Amino acid sequence: MYRMNNPANQLHASGQSLWLDSMSRNLLRSGTLSRYIKSFSISGLTFNQGAFSLALEQEDTYDASIRLLNTAGFSAEDIFYELVLEDIAEAAVLFRPIYDSTNGRDGWVSLEVSPLLNNNTLHIVQAATKLFAKAAKANLLVAIIATSEGLRAAEELVYSGIPVNFSLLFSSEHYLAAGEAYMRGLERRIATGLSPVVESVASLCVSPWDANIDLELASPLHHRLAITMATRTYHTHCELMHSERWQKLAAAGARPQRLLWSRTGVNDAAINDTLYIQSLVASGTINAMPAATLLAFAGHGRIGAPMPADGGYAEAVLDEFRREGIDETRLAVCLQRKSIEDATSSWYTTLTTIREKSSQEISSSTCA
C-alpha cells in the first residue's frame, strides 16, 4: 500500500526524526507499531494521555490486568502506571535498536508524570525519579510540564542524570526557559565532575495556536499563527545553540536539547491534513504526530522547504496578528494553562474509567 520511498521515509532521510504520538496495547500487540517503524521510519514515541484514555474506555485489552491489580489492592493511579509501564517497556524494546545505533540520540519513548503534581517541585522530582527507576529502560524520557515548578523539577532531574521531555511549551519564551533549565542541570553536573551527556527534548505545541485564533480572525490570517510561532521558536533554538554558554557545554561533551514539534495533527477539514508536517521541516528536530497524520503524510504528503534558521518572516507575520489585537505572549500563557487543565481532566477521566472497570469486575465475580 505504501512504497518504501514514501514521504515519511524521505523526511527521515532529510535529518528530521518522526515519532508517533500515541499509545495503546493494541498498537503494540497487533504489530502496528513495528510496521510503522519499518515502513515509515518512526524512531520514537510520546505517550498520549487522551489516546490512552480513549483506548482504555473503548477496548477490553486492559480489563484482565485491571481485575488482577484491583484484586491485589492497587489504587486506580497505581493501576494506571502498571498498565502504562508494561506498554512503555514493550515500546522501549522495539526502539532500543534505534537508540543503540544512534548512540542514544533517537529511539526514545516519553511518559508523563501526573499533572496533579504540577504545582509541587519536590513531588514532581520524587514521582519522576520513581517512574524512571521502575521502568528501568535507558531509552525512557520523563515528560515534565514546563511550569515554573516543573522547570525547577526538570533541572533537578537533569542534574541527577534522568532524561527529560520539557512538555507543553507554546512560545520561544517557554522554549528558552526550558533550554536554560536544561543547561543549568548540565552545568551543575560538570561542576561536580559528572558526565554532561543527559538527553532531553523540548516539546512545542503547534496546532492549538490555529485552533484558538482561526475562529476569531478573518480568513487571510487563518492557519498561519501556529507555523509562525514554531518558526520563531526554531530561530530561538538556533540562536541558543550558537550562544557562548551552549558552546562551552558542547565543548565539555554535552548534546543539544532537541526541539520537538508536538500536536501536529489537524482536526479542521478546511486545513491540509499534513500542514504541520510539511511546514516544520528542520534537520535535527523531531515531529511527533498522531497515527492518522502519519498515514496521511506517508500516503500523499510532500516535504516543504527547510525552516529558516534566522526566523524568516516570522516577526513580520506576528506584526499582522498584533495589529489585529493578538498578544502572543499572553496567549501562550493561556494556551499552556488550558492544556494543563485538559491534561488534568483527561487524567481524572482515566482514573474514573479504571475505577468503573474495577467495580464491574468485582460485581461480575460476585454474581458468579
Side-chain angles (χ1 to χ4, degrees):
M1 180 179 179
Y2 295 92
R3 62 188 191 277
M4 287 309 296
N5 65 336
N6 62 67
N9 291 327
Q10 293 167 12
L11 183 57
H12 178 265
S14 76
Q16 185 171 55
S17 294
L18 281 65
W19 288 12
L20 187 68
D21 182 32
S22 184
M23 170 60 78
S24 74
R25 193 152 292 179
N26 278 340
L27 178 75
L28 293 160
R29 304 287 168 84
S30 66
T32 301
L33 182 56
S34 295
R35 180 167 58 85
Y36 288 170
I37 293 171
K38 180 179 179 180
S39 300
F40 307 130
S41 298
I42 289 295
S43 59
L45 179 146
T46 53
F47 176 81
N48 184 302
Q49 174 67 44
F52 177 83
S53 184
L54 190 62
L56 188 67
E57 181 181 355
Q58 296 181 348
E59 301 172 7
D60 61 2
T61 50
Y62 295 98
D63 291 4
S65 296
I66 291 174
R67 179 181 67 249
L68 289 173
L69 293 168
N70 180 66
T71 301
F74 283 67
S75 68
E77 184 166 309
D78 287 340
I79 290 174
F80 165 77
Y81 274 120
E82 290 291 327
L83 299 176
V84 172
L85 284 172
E86 183 177 346
D87 290 353
I88 285 291
E90 289 190 34
V93 169
L94 290 176
F95 287 114
R96 185 58 191 256
I98 299 173
Y99 173 86
D100 291 336
S101 66
T102 61
N103 195 25
R105 288 302 285 160
D106 214 342
W108 292 90
V109 293
S110 173
L111 177 61
E112 62 197 36
V113 170
S114 168
L116 305 185
L117 305 175
N118 191 53
N119 295 318
N120 191 307
T121 298
L122 178 60
H123 290 172
I124 296 171
V125 172
Q126 290 174 337
T129 302
K130 179 180 178 182
L131 195 61
F132 186 74
K134 190 167 185 177
K137 296 297 179 184
N139 54 334
L140 174 71
L141 286 164
V142 182
I144 307 295
I145 298 174
T147 59
S148 56
E149 295 84 1
L151 290 170
R152 287 193 290 270
E155 177 188 336
E156 290 300 321
L157 292 167
V158 170
Y159 173 62
S160 70
I162 294 177
V164 174
N165 174 358
F166 291 74
S167 68
L168 296 190
L169 308 175
F170 281 90
S171 66
S172 55
E173 291 79 11
H174 286 173
Y175 163 75
L176 191 58
E180 289 176 343
Y182 177 55
M183 290 191 293
R184 285 194 301 270
L186 296 182
E187 288 164 345
R188 290 170 58 194
R189 288 182 65 81
I190 292 172
T192 53
L194 297 171
S195 168
V197 180
V198 182
E199 298 291 343
S200 175
V201 302
S203 297
L204 187 87
C205 299
V206 178
S207 63
W209 283 98
D210 287 341
N212 187 275
I213 290 300
D214 285 359
L215 297 176
E216 300 180 18
L217 300 180
S219 58
L221 292 175
H222 287 185
H223 324 325
R224 297 177 66 193
L225 185 55
I227 294 169
T228 299
M229 293 301 295
T231 302
R232 186 183 189 222
T233 302
Y234 181 63
H235 174 49
T236 300
H237 167 73
C238 293
E239 286 189 323
L240 186 61
M241 291 299 98
H242 286 93
S243 70
E244 182 179 349
R245 184 179 182 186
W246 173 254
Q247 290 301 314
K248 184 177 179 180
L249 284 167
R255 292 173 167 179
Q257 180 185 52
R258 299 180 73 191
L259 188 56
L260 181 150
W261 310 120
S262 175
R263 298 192 186 179
T264 54
V266 170
N267 296 318
D268 186 346
I271 303 177
N272 175 0
D273 57 2
T274 65
L275 176 67
Y276 303 125
I277 311 301
Q278 66 188 43
S279 302
L280 303 176
V281 178
S283 180
T285 66
I286 303 163
N287 199 314
M289 61 193 79
T293 304
L294 169 65
L295 295 175
F297 186 75
H300 58 259
R302 63 178 182 84
I303 300 175
M307 299 178 73
D310 64 359
Y313 297 105
E315 288 301 324
V317 175
L318 277 175
D319 283 340
E320 294 184 48
F321 283 95
R322 291 165 185 151
R323 286 193 289 270
E324 295 296 324
I326 301 300
D327 181 342
E328 76 278 3
T329 301
R330 181 190 63 81
L331 186 53
V333 173
C334 294
L335 288 172
Q336 186 184 65
R337 184 184 303 122
K338 172 72 163 54
S339 291
I340 293 171
E341 291 171 355
D342 290 345
T344 302
S345 176
S346 179
W347 188 269
Y348 280 126
T349 298
T350 298
L351 297 185
T352 297
T353 300
I354 290 173
R355 292 189 185 101
E356 289 174 349
K357 284 180 174 284
S358 298
S359 177
Q360 291 169 4
E361 293 292 348
I362 291 173
S363 297
S364 62
S365 61
T366 301
C367 292

